Amino acid sequence: MIKNYIIAKDIIEADKLLKETKGRVIAGGTWIRFAPYIETVIDITRTGLDYINKNGVYKIGATTVIENIVESELLKKIAGGVLNKHAGFFYPFTLRNLATVGGNIVPYFPLSDLAPVFLSLDAVVETTKKTYSFYEFIKLSRRSIGKEEILTSITIPEYTENFISSSFRFSQLKNEFAWITGIVNIITENSVVKDSRIVISACTRRPTRLKTLEEKLKGNKITDGFLSEVRKHVGELKLILDRRSSIEYRKIVIENLLVNSFLELKKYAG
Amino acid sequence: MQVKFTLNGKEVAFEVKPYEILLDTLRNNGIYSVKRGCETGDCGSCVVVIDGRAVPSCMVFSLKVSGRSVLTVEGIGDLNSPHILQKKFAGTAAIQCGFCTTGIIMTMYSLLLKNKILSLDEVKNLLNGNLCRCGSYKEQLKVFIDITTDEKSS
C-alpha cells in the first residue's frame, strides 16, 4: 500500500528522491494502483517533461499524455501520422488524457501501442542515466526504468527521404489490448526499397523486427514473389500464447495483415 | 496529508490518504454525482474534468490534483440555470437509470471545450469509454450532435 506520495519539482529532485526512497516513479499513474507492494511513489508530472517539439529531430517528453500525441500536428508529419494513429488505438479517450507516453513504453511491452512504432522509427530513449536506442531499451529489464533511472524523453529522427508507412492493429474490441500490432515502414529510391522496418508486436514478448525480411526487401520492389516470402518469414516469430487465441490463428492473421500492408505500400512505391 | 485544489470554481482543502483516489475524496466530501463503477477506468461513470480534460476519477490519486481545477457535473449548472447538456439530457430520453449520465455529460462537456467540429464517428469513438447499461447511446449522441449543430448554425 502506498504510504508516501511525493510530487517532484524537477527531474533532478525526482532522481534524488528515487535513490533515497527506493520508491517508484509515476506520471499517469494508471497502473500503480494495481501494484500493492509499492510504498513510495514519486509523481513526475510537474517536472516539465510534458512537451512535443522539433529541433532537427522530433522530441517527446516522457510525461506527455497519449491524447496530446493523437492530436499533435507536428507528429502527423512523421510517415503520414503513424504515431498519432497508434496513439489513437489506446482506449478509452478518457484514459488517453491521463496515461503518458513514458508509462506506455516502460512497464509492459507486449501490450504497448506505441513501443512498436518507436522501434519502427529508430527512436532513441533518454533517461537520467544514459541514452539508448529503442532496440537496446526494449531489451532492458522492465523494472530498471522508474526504479534506478527515469525515462525523460523519446527522440525520433527526421525522415526527409521518400518515407511511407502502413500499419495495423488487430483485436476483437476497440477497448481491448491489441492481439497483434504490425508496422511496415519503407524508404524508396527510384521505385526500389532502399531501407525498411517491419515490426510485429503484442503477440511477441517484445516488439520484434523481421530483419531477414527487411534484408530481402532491400534494393528490390514489392513483387508477388516477395509477398509469398512474407508468409514464410512470419514463421520465424516467437509468438506468445494467451487465452484469447491460438498461435496458429495469430500466424494466419499476421500473414494476411502484413501482405495487406505491403499491397498498400506497393500502390505508392510502384 | 492535505490536498488543495479548485473544485467547481471554489478553493478546497481536504485531508486524504496517500493512496486515496479522487473518486473517494469527492464522494467523501458530498460530491455524489461522481459514481463508482468499474474502478479500472473503463466504464466512465466517475469521469470529471481536470484542467479541461475528461478523466476517470477512479484512476487519479487525490494528491495528484493538488493545485489543479476539478469540475464535476455540479459545477457546470444547477436546477435554476442548467448547462445546455443537462437541459437536453433531461428533455430527451437520454437519461434512463441515470447512473452513467454524469460521466457522459462531463466527457461531452470536455469535448465542447475543444471547440472543434467532430463527425459522428469521432464522437462515437471519443465516448467509447462511457458505458450505458440501459443502452441510451442513440439519444445521448443525438443530444451532442444537436448541440454542436445548433452552435455551428448560430
Side-chain angles (χ1 to χ4, degrees):
Chain A
M1 187 181 279
I2 295 164
K3 290 178 183 160
N4 306 301
Y5 188 102
I6 311 165
I7 299 173
K9 285 186 205 78
D10 53 46
I11 204 68
I12 297 160
E13 191 193 39
D15 196 34
K16 199 173 150 228
L17 285 165
L18 189 64
K19 280 164 191 147
E20 283 171 9
T21 63
K22 302 278 176 211
R24 289 292 289 270
V25 163
I26 69 157
T30 53
W31 279 96
I32 213 90
R33 279 195 56 214
F34 307 105
Y37 49 87
I38 293 165
E39 290 195 356
T40 301
V41 292
I42 302 150
D43 183 334
I44 58 162
T45 46
R46 297 172 200 214
T47 55
L49 297 177
D50 180 5
Y51 59 85
I52 300 170
N53 62 39
K54 190 190 166 200
N55 189 5
V57 290
Y58 296 90
K59 206 165 186 177
I60 306 169
T63 65
T64 304
V65 293
I66 307 277
E67 183 61 11
N68 284 0
I69 294 187
V70 176
E71 293 198 335
S72 168
E73 290 299 322
L74 195 61
L75 295 177
K76 279 181 189 159
K77 289 173 188 161
I78 305 172
V82 62
L83 202 52
N84 308 60
K85 177 181 160 185
H86 280 261
F89 288 142
F90 189 106
Y91 271 95
F93 153 72
T94 46
L95 270 186
R96 288 207 298 264
N97 279 329
L98 199 60
T100 62
V101 61
N104 192 248
I105 61 171
V106 169
Y108 59 114
F109 290 119
L111 305 174
S112 168
D113 283 310
L114 295 177
V117 191
F118 286 134
L119 181 65
S120 77
L121 293 170
D122 289 346
V124 170
V125 174
E126 226 172 282
T127 73
T128 42
K129 251 185 184 174
K130 62 181 276 195
T131 302
Y132 302 93
S133 71
F134 207 81
Y135 183 67
E136 287 172 324
F137 175 73
I138 58 174
K139 286 197 295 182
L140 289 174
S141 154
R142 291 180 199 179
R143 289 175 183 271
S144 72
I145 307 280
K147 220 176 171 189
E148 293 153 19
E149 54 192 311
I150 304 170
L151 190 149
T152 53
S153 70
I154 299 111
T155 305
I156 300 164
E158 189 185 13
Y159 293 91
T160 51
E161 292 158 297
N162 198 1
F163 181 75
I164 48 175
S165 175
S166 174
S167 64
F168 55 85
R169 181 200 201 256
F170 182 79
S171 64
Q172 203 170 19
L173 304 167
K174 276 182 178 173
N175 274 14
E176 184 187 13
F177 288 121
W179 291 25
I180 301 161
T181 305
I183 295 128
V184 183
N185 293 342
I186 60 171
I187 295 174
T188 57
E189 195 175 64
N190 301 325
S191 295
V192 296
V193 176
K194 193 178 156 196
D195 202 2
S196 69
R197 294 287 180 271
I198 305 163
V199 177
I200 297 292
S201 187
C203 53
T204 49
R205 274 179 66 81
R206 297 184 170 92
T208 308
R209 269 174 68 185
L210 282 167
K211 286 191 178 175
T212 44
L213 201 58
E214 288 174 9
E215 278 304 311
K216 284 207 169 145
L217 196 55
K218 213 171 197 173
N220 292 309
K221 286 188 175 188
I222 301 167
T223 59
D224 290 345
F226 174 77
L227 294 179
S228 59
E229 290 281 325
V230 171
R231 298 191 186 276
K232 276 188 226 165
H233 285 282
V234 170
E236 292 169 12
L237 290 165
K238 283 184 188 161
L239 302 183
I240 49 171
L241 183 65
D242 72 30
R243 60 185 172 182
R244 295 183 296 178
S245 69
S246 67
I247 285 181
E248 288 70 29
Y249 176 74
R250 289 191 188 199
K251 262 186 192 164
I252 295 166
V253 177
I254 297 169
E255 281 172 17
N256 288 312
L257 293 177
L258 260 186
V259 167
N260 270 351
S261 283
F262 280 110
L263 286 173
E264 198 184 318
L265 292 173
K266 199 180 165 187
K267 279 187 223 162
Y268 300 100
Chain B
M1 298 171 92
Q2 195 181 56
V3 60
K4 287 182 185 175
F5 59 98
T6 307
L7 175 61
N8 296 330
K10 287 177 192 155
E11 295 288 325
V12 291
F14 299 132
E15 278 303 318
V16 297
K17 303 268 186 329
Y19 53 83
E20 193 168 313
I21 51 174
L22 185 60
L23 166 68
D24 286 332
T25 306
L26 293 172
R27 288 188 66 84
N28 290 344
N29 290 284
I31 305 291
Y32 298 119
S33 71
V34 187
K35 307 291 186 202
R36 188 185 308 279
C38 64
E39 283 196 80
T40 55
D42 292 310
C43 76
S45 21
C46 66
V47 166
V48 297
V49 172
I50 301 176
D51 288 347
R53 284 172 179 269
V55 295
S57 59
C58 68
M59 300 300 282
V60 181
F61 286 112
S62 303
L63 288 163
K64 195 178 160 75
V65 299
S66 161
R68 308 273 196 225
S69 166
V70 178
L71 201 59
T72 68
V73 83
E74 288 89 345
I76 64 169
D78 56 26
L79 272 176
N80 297 324
S81 83
H83 185 268
I84 185 155
L85 276 166
Q86 294 167 310
K87 212 170 167 179
K88 290 255 184 187
F89 261 73
T92 64
I95 299 172
Q96 293 292 316
C97 79
F99 196 82
C100 69
T101 309
T102 51
I104 293 177
I105 287 180
M106 291 320 285
T107 306
M108 286 184 175
Y109 180 82
S110 78
L111 296 180
L112 291 178
L113 290 180
K114 284 182 180 233
N115 209 10
K116 227 164 108 178
I117 297 166
L118 300 165
S119 69
L120 183 62
D121 277 347
E122 281 174 318
V123 180
K124 278 184 187 171
N125 269 333
L126 293 167
L127 289 172
N128 190 296
N130 289 87
L131 304 181
C132 168
R133 286 292 171 233
C134 306
S136 305
Y137 297 112
K138 203 176 151 192
E139 291 76 16
Q140 291 156 3
L141 282 169
K142 193 178 176 304
V143 165
F144 189 79
I145 297 297
D146 280 357
I147 291 173
T148 47
T149 316
D150 288 350
E151 275 183 7
K152 266 184 266 171
S153 54
S154 61

